[in-house]
């Protein structure tokens, strides 16, 4: 499995399998619910080159991965021996976690909201984009709303939102620890054709009321609703747990669902639904009242602070307001205010790309700009703007200025989606493009341009621009006499990297270097530096020299499969060493007997930071401690 080693590292540093109560993922991060947070090791995970950062917020341990988070999520789930999103089926642990969460209601709220909505975030965004593109096509005269093409695509874009009670019933049931199929069925009852027909009949003047066991029923259109099914699912799961405690095991598999449907569905139509609908409208109208009172201030505030909320994962406390607005009002004024916030960080990242001479930072900034255009700003924030500070501040200032303009134009969105370049299509009203659309475009563009320009000329300190500056922290010790040299870490036969029997190493994708076929079982320090990473299996080391050389020493090909057998690290991550210190021993004979190739790539991971890299004469023997690699600065 491609991400198995990373998944193992993550599980180990969240405290092991038994410490995981729940696991979900959003667009860029794994969100763990841990039984005991003190068992986790965030600093260890932050050292991994495949992890952007780790955030502990909102009652969650969040491991920020980036665009390939889904693949890592699947790898972690496979190691946890669960099906996706089903880790919360651990009643005892989950109840303990909930009790702890009640000590912090806000964290509990964030956890509930993110757990319910993140599993469907991708399809929600896709549906919103399709809705927006249909609106754009209709406004430009490309499609007619009466055409079959339009109607089929509209059905595809609207299905999720129309059947929201069904989908949220499933995710809410999983979060609350009950049967998701029972809660999904309750959601289905809310939008059953018979109930929808009864709602339509109730709108006709003079229609006699309907009764349930003599109690009058208020029929409401629950299609696309959010809050009613969440409350109904919570009650159903609460009842289910109580019933399972008293019913015999031979009966509860069918009696418990039967009683849940028998009791909760009528209760939802009679009490929960109307009450939750009233709460939903109250939230929507309250937000609208605050927004209408001072839209410029609201825009400036949201544009400036949104990315701060994203850093800590607290944006999930705000996102449901926008979703509820769309459900209750048919439009939303919150999401357009976030366009400048996203554009500000993209602009600041572009400013870094234009200003820096550091090759590695250029690569990171370039990929982050591309991801940011599609609404994924975590790589830009964690990897570029936040570490440099000034760019992040300029991005927030730009977001505030642009948000004020968007607020002044009172722009609305008419479908949900990640805030990205497609959002402009989602703000087109039925009557076509108007000033609110232009207000969003102007505010977003101004935010982008301000952040990019300010960062380009004032955002990066001179020392951060230098290509010689290592991205990681400096080591406070005496420099080695030859800071640009890498000594041979092993004794053996030195060969070109292209002759390594592994395509990934041989291609140079991981950096330039050479390889050594070891004649002994020791790895020695090739310079003065520190251990920046140490694989759990002990077969590979990441080293950082005082002058900024990042070196990977990978003992053998596919030796990760030995799971640490025959490897004995003599150091740990974070240790400082001197050239010639013993770093690792391995049993050469037993590894060879096990059928593994011991060719050891020695790679300069940050090769792009240097003008050139020179090697000793290869295809000959070399002794450890001899000059092996020389890096030449640009």
């Amino acid at each position: 499995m491609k991400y198995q080693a990373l998944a193992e590292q993550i599980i180990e540093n969240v405290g092991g399998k038994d410490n995981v109560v729940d696991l979900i993922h959003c667009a860029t991060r794994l969100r763990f619910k841990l039984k005991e947070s003190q068992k986790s090791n965030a600093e260890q995970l932050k050292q991994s080159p495949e992890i952007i950062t780790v955030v502990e917020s909102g009652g969650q341990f969040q491991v920020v991965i980036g665009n390939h988070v889904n693949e890592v999520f699947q790898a972690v789930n496979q190691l946890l021996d669960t099906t996706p999103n089903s880790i919360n089926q651990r009643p005892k642990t989950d109840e303990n976690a909930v009790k702890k969460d009640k000590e912090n209601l806000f964290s509990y709220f964030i956890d509930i909201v993110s757990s319910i909505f993140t599993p469907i975030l991708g399809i929600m965004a896709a549906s919103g984009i399709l809705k927006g593109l249909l609106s754009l096509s209709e406004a430009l005269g490309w499609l007619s709303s009466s055409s079959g093409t339009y109607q089929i695509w509209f059905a595809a874009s609207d299905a999720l939102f129309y059947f929201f009670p069904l989908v949220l019933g499933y995710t809410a049931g999983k979060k609350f620890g009950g049967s998701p199929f029972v809660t999904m069925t309750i959601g289905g009852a809310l939008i059953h054709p018979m109930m929808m027909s009864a709602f339509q009949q109730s709108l006709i003047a003079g229609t006699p009321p309907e009764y349930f066991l003599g109690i009058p029923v208020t029929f409401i259109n629950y299609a696309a609703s959010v809050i009613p099914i969440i409350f109904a699912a919570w009650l159903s799961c609460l009842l289910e747990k109580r019933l399972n405690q008293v019913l015999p095991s031979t009966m509860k598999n069918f009696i418990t669902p039967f009683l849940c449907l028998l009791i909760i569905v009528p209760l939802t139509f009679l009490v929960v639904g109307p009450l939750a609908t009233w709460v939903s409208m109250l939230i929507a109208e309250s937000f609208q009242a605050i927004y209408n009172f001072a839209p410029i201030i609201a825009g400036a505030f949201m544009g400036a602070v949104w990315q701060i909320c994203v850093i800590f994962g607290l944006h999930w406390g705000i996102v449901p307001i926008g979703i509820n607005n769309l459900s209750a009002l048919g439009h939303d004024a919150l999401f357009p205010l976030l366009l400048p916030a996203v554009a500000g960080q993209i602009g600041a990242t572009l400013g870094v790309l234009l200003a820096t001479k550091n090759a590695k930072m250029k690569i990171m900034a370039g990929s982050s700009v591309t991801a940011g255009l599609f609404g994924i700003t975590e790589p830009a924030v964690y990897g570029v703007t936040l570490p440099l500070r000034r760019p992040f501040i300029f991005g927030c200032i730009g977001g505030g200025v642009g948000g004020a303009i968007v607020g002044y134009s009172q722009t609305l969105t008419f479908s949900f989606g990640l805030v990205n370049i497609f959002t402009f299509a989602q703000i087109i009203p039925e009557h076509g493009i108007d000033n609110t659309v232009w207000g969003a475009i102007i505010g977003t563009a101004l935010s982008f341009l301000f952040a990019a320009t300010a960062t380009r000329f004032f955002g990066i300190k001179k020392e951060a621009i230098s290509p010689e500056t290592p991205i990681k922290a400096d080591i406070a010790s005496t420099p080695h006499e030859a800071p640009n040299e890498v000594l041979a870490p092993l004794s053996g036969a030195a060969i070109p990297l292209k002759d390594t029997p592994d395509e990934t190493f041989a291609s140079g994708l991981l950096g330039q270097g050479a390889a050594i076929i070891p004649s002994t079982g020791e790895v020695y320090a090739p310079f003065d530096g520190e251990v920046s990473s140490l694989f759990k299996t002990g077969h590979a080391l990441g080293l950082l020299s005082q002058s900024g050389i990042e070196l990977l020493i990978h003992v053998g090909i596919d030796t990760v499969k030995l799971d640490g057998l025959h490897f004995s690290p003599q150091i740990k991550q974070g240790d400082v060493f001197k050239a010639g210190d013993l770093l690792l021993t391995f049993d050469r004979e037993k590894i060879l007997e096990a059928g593994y190739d011991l060719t050891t790539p020695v790679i300069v991971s940050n090769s792009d930071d240097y003008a050139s890299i020179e090697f000793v004469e290869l295809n000959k023997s070399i002794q450890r401690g001899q000059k092996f690699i020389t890096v030449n600065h640009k």
Side-chain angles (χ1 to χ4, degrees):
M1 187 191 303
K2 182 177 181 181
Y3 294 105
Q4 182 171 359
L6 177 60
E8 291 175 350
Q9 181 184 7
I10 291 173
I11 292 173
E12 178 185 5
N13 287 287
V14 297
K17 297 180 182 180
D18 295 337
N19 199 39
V20 179
V21 175
D22 188 26
L23 171 62
I24 58 174
H25 76 89
C26 55
T28 59
R29 62 185 81 185
L30 301 174
R31 294 171 175 268
F32 286 92
K33 183 74 174 182
L34 302 180
K35 183 178 179 181
E36 297 180 60
S37 59
Q38 63 270 24
K39 290 185 177 181
S40 63
N41 190 339
E43 293 305 317
Q44 184 78 12
L45 287 176
K46 289 178 182 178
Q47 298 296 324
S48 172
E50 297 180 277
I51 294 174
I52 296 175
T53 191
V54 175
V55 179
E56 297 179 73
S57 179
Q60 296 177 329
F61 187 87
Q62 304 169 20
V63 183
V64 185
I65 300 294
N67 295 336
H68 55 283
V69 65
N70 184 60
E71 291 87 344
V72 179
F73 172 76
Q74 298 296 337
V76 172
N77 259 322
Q78 186 169 336
L79 293 176
L80 289 170
D81 296 324
T82 66
T83 55
N85 292 323
S86 66
I87 299 173
N88 57 347
Q89 307 302 317
R90 302 183 183 182
K92 292 182 180 180
T93 305
D94 192 58
E95 287 176 5
N96 291 336
V98 169
K99 288 177 182 178
K100 289 183 180 180
D101 278 342
K102 288 181 179 177
E103 298 173 6
N104 187 336
L105 293 178
F106 183 69
S107 295
Y108 185 43
F109 170 73
I110 295 293
D111 178 57
I112 287 177
V113 170
S114 61
S115 298
I116 291 174
F117 285 100
T118 50
I120 57 173
L121 183 63
I123 187 61
M124 284 173 68
S127 299
I129 290 170
L130 184 53
K131 269 182 174 287
L133 293 177
L134 284 174
S135 298
L136 179 63
S137 299
E138 187 179 15
L140 296 176
W142 297 343
L143 285 177
S144 169
S145 60
S146 60
S147 69
T149 302
Y150 180 93
Q151 291 174 6
I152 290 175
W153 273 339
F154 182 83
S157 69
D158 195 56
L160 175 70
F161 301 108
Y162 184 87
F163 293 104
F164 238 174
L166 200 67
V167 177
L168 293 180
Y170 181 84
T171 58
K174 296 189 76 170
K175 175 56 189 172
F176 293 131
S179 169
F181 294 104
V182 172
T183 52
M184 183 173 66
T185 303
I186 294 171
L190 294 178
I191 53 174
H192 191 278
M194 185 180 294
M195 297 297 98
M196 299 301 290
S197 176
F199 166 72
Q200 295 296 332
Q201 289 294 322
S202 68
L203 298 178
I204 302 174
T207 302
E210 296 289 344
Y211 293 88
F212 176 80
L213 299 180
I215 304 172
V217 179
T218 302
F219 286 105
I220 298 173
N221 184 1
Y222 291 108
S225 63
V226 174
I227 296 181
I229 183 57
I230 293 177
F231 276 103
W234 176 73
L235 285 175
S236 175
C237 294
L238 193 64
L239 177 61
E240 180 182 339
K241 291 175 182 177
R242 298 296 182 269
L243 290 172
N244 284 337
Q245 290 175 354
V246 299
L247 290 174
S249 58
T250 56
M251 299 174 60
K252 61 185 178 184
N253 285 341
F254 60 92
I255 294 297
T256 295
F258 166 72
L259 292 176
C260 285
L261 294 178
L262 186 71
I263 297 170
I264 299 300
V265 171
L267 187 63
T268 301
F269 278 104
L270 294 172
V271 181
V272 176
L275 181 60
T277 300
W278 175 80
V279 171
S280 177
M281 290 301 300
L282 181 63
I283 293 172
E285 291 173 357
S286 298
F287 170 81
Q288 203 65 35
I290 296 171
Y291 174 80
N292 290 336
F293 175 74
I296 296 177
I297 296 176
F301 178 77
M302 291 307 305
V305 306
W306 176 251
Q307 290 297 337
I308 299 175
C309 294
V310 171
I311 290 173
F312 298 103
L314 301 179
H315 56 301
W316 276 111
I318 303 173
V319 168
I321 297 175
I323 297 175
N324 182 68
N325 289 343
L326 289 167
S327 171
L329 305 175
H331 57 76
D332 171 58
L334 173 62
F335 290 133
L337 304 179
L338 309 181
L339 270 169
V342 172
Q345 293 305 317
I346 299 173
T349 307
L350 179 62
V352 172
L353 177 64
L354 297 175
T356 186
K357 296 179 181 177
N358 187 300
K360 186 171 182 178
M361 183 62 81
K362 277 185 177 292
I363 294 172
M364 188 181 299
S367 62
S368 298
V369 168
T370 303
L373 291 174
F374 295 95
I376 309 299
T377 57
E378 280 90 340
V381 172
Y382 292 122
V384 182
T385 63
L386 191 59
L388 296 174
R389 298 192 181 184
R390 287 186 190 175
F392 181 77
I393 294 172
F394 287 142
C396 290
I397 294 173
V401 173
I405 295 174
V406 176
Y408 175 78
S409 67
Q410 299 195 10
T411 306
L412 303 174
T413 55
F414 298 92
S415 60
F416 175 82
L418 291 176
V419 181
N420 56 35
I421 56 175
F422 294 106
T423 303
F424 294 107
Q426 296 170 236
I427 61 181
I428 299 175
E430 293 182 1
H431 55 270
I433 298 175
D434 60 10
N435 289 335
T436 65
V437 179
W438 287 112
I441 293 173
I442 293 171
T444 304
L446 183 62
S447 173
F448 176 84
L449 292 173
F450 170 83
T453 304
T455 301
R456 169 62 181 86
F457 294 104
F458 310 107
I460 305 181
K461 297 178 182 179
K462 290 183 178 180
E463 57 268 26
I465 298 177
S466 170
E468 292 84 5
T469 304
I471 293 177
K472 297 186 180 181
D474 292 329
I475 304 166
S477 59
T478 305
H480 187 262
E481 292 181 359
N484 297 328
E485 289 185 358
V486 176
L487 307 180
L490 308 96
S491 297
I495 64 173
L497 192 63
K498 63 182 179 61
D499 293 340
T500 303
D502 182 280
E503 184 177 349
T504 302
F505 290 118
S507 65
L509 289 174
L510 300 179
Q512 298 183 47
I516 297 175
I517 302 174
S519 58
T520 61
E522 298 87 26
V523 177
Y524 294 89
F527 43 57
D528 294 349
E530 76 169 336
V531 182
S532 58
S533 62
L534 174 63
F535 283 70
K536 171 185 147 181
T537 52
H539 74 290
L541 297 164
L543 308 178
L544 175 64
S545 78
Q546 293 176 345
S547 64
I549 300 172
E550 297 176 15
L551 198 72
L552 171 65
I553 303 174
H554 192 286
V555 181
I557 306 301
D558 291 331
T559 47
V560 65
K561 296 177 182 177
L562 289 170
D563 197 26
L565 185 65
H566 309 315
F567 288 95
S568 301
Q570 305 300 306
I571 39 76
K572 61 182 183 297
Q573 186 164 319
D575 281 357
V576 176
F577 53 77
K578 292 287 187 180
D581 288 350
L582 181 63
L583 303 179
L584 171 70
T585 61
F586 56 94
D587 195 322
R588 179 177 173 276
E589 287 71 25
K590 288 185 178 179
I591 294 175
L592 291 172
E593 287 174 6
Y596 290 90
D597 190 316
L598 268 175
T599 301
T600 300
V602 181
I603 294 173
V604 180
S605 305
N606 58 337
S607 301
D608 291 338
D609 291 356
Y610 302 101
S612 63
I613 296 179
E614 300 174 359
F615 308 96
V616 297
E617 184 181 350
L618 300 176
N619 293 315
K620 59 181 295 186
S621 63
I622 192 170
Q623 295 298 314
R624 61 104 173 169
Q626 291 181 350
K627 180 179 176 182
F628 186 47
I629 298 173
T630 301
V631 298
N632 299 310
H633 292 295
K634 295 179 180 178

